[in-house]
Amino acid sequence: MNVFRILGDLSHLLAMILLLGKIWRSKCCAGISGKSQILFALVFTTRYLDLFTNFISIYNTVMKLVFLLCAYVTVYMIYGKFRKTFDSENDTFRLEFLLVPVIGLSFLENYSFTPLEVLWTFSIYLESVAILPQLFMISKTGEAETITTHYLFFLGLYRALYLANWIRRYQTEGFYDQIAVVSGVVQTIFYCDFFYLYVTKVLKGKKLSLPMPI
């Protein structure tokens, strides 16, 4: 554990709380990709199966349970409680375009060909692309609510902080996880353009808008 890991976890948690709070207060999930939230729930489910086999610390266990709970509550709100406000017409990203290659890569590139290890690897690869349906939805509608942009910012910040965590661990422990690092870099790259728009528009009080696809 180091400061970057802790800050990364807190940023991740804040992102999820912001999203849940937005949905609950507004009683509306317009502008939020349900498909991205399904992918994130799948990420946590396949990654945290070791809850039943491997105890690391109270902190680790509590954070895993909180992330799982937040992910499934979010999915329930979108497809259950507030489903009438869900913008399904714009949440049209084809999930098979992500799931098929991720599943294939998980079987080809992993540290150990065991069920738990393959599922953990799958979760790492899937997390790196899980935000794409949300970014696709924003590009399709041309804009995003301010609270949604805050959610995306802290989600991207979490990945950037985890990159710093891996660099720090390599410096102090000689630890290097190639799968996690490469996937984390890919995921952070997806956020780079959004970070620029967030700083130049949202932080100046402007609404984030994107050019509509032709």
Side-chain angles (χ1 to χ4, degrees), residues 6-26:
I6 295 173
L7 289 176
D9 287 342
L10 292 177
S11 180
H12 196 181
L13 181 60
L14 179 58
M16 301 182 78
I17 291 174
L18 281 173
L19 186 63
L20 279 172
K22 182 265 183 190
I23 297 174
W24 184 255
R25 286 194 304 271
S26 66

Side-chain angles (χ1 to χ4, degrees), residues 62-74:
V62 170
M63 292 299 280
K64 288 178 178 179
L65 290 173
V66 169
F67 287 147
L68 280 166
L69 178 63
C70 287
Y72 278 99
V73 170
T74 302

Side-chain angles (χ1 to χ4, degrees), residues 9 19 27 45 50 73 79 82 125 134 147 157 192 200-201 207:
D9 287 342
L19 186 63
K27 303 293 188 287
T45 301
D50 64 350
V73 170
Y79 291 101
F82 304 121
Y125 292 149
Q134 179 67 65
I147 193 66
L157 181 62
C192 286
T200 58
K201 290 190 176 183
K207 192 169 186 178

Side-chain angles (χ1 to χ4, degrees), residues 25-36:
R25 286 194 304 271
S26 66
K27 303 293 188 287
C28 175
C29 52
I32 299 172
S33 169
K35 291 186 175 182
S36 270

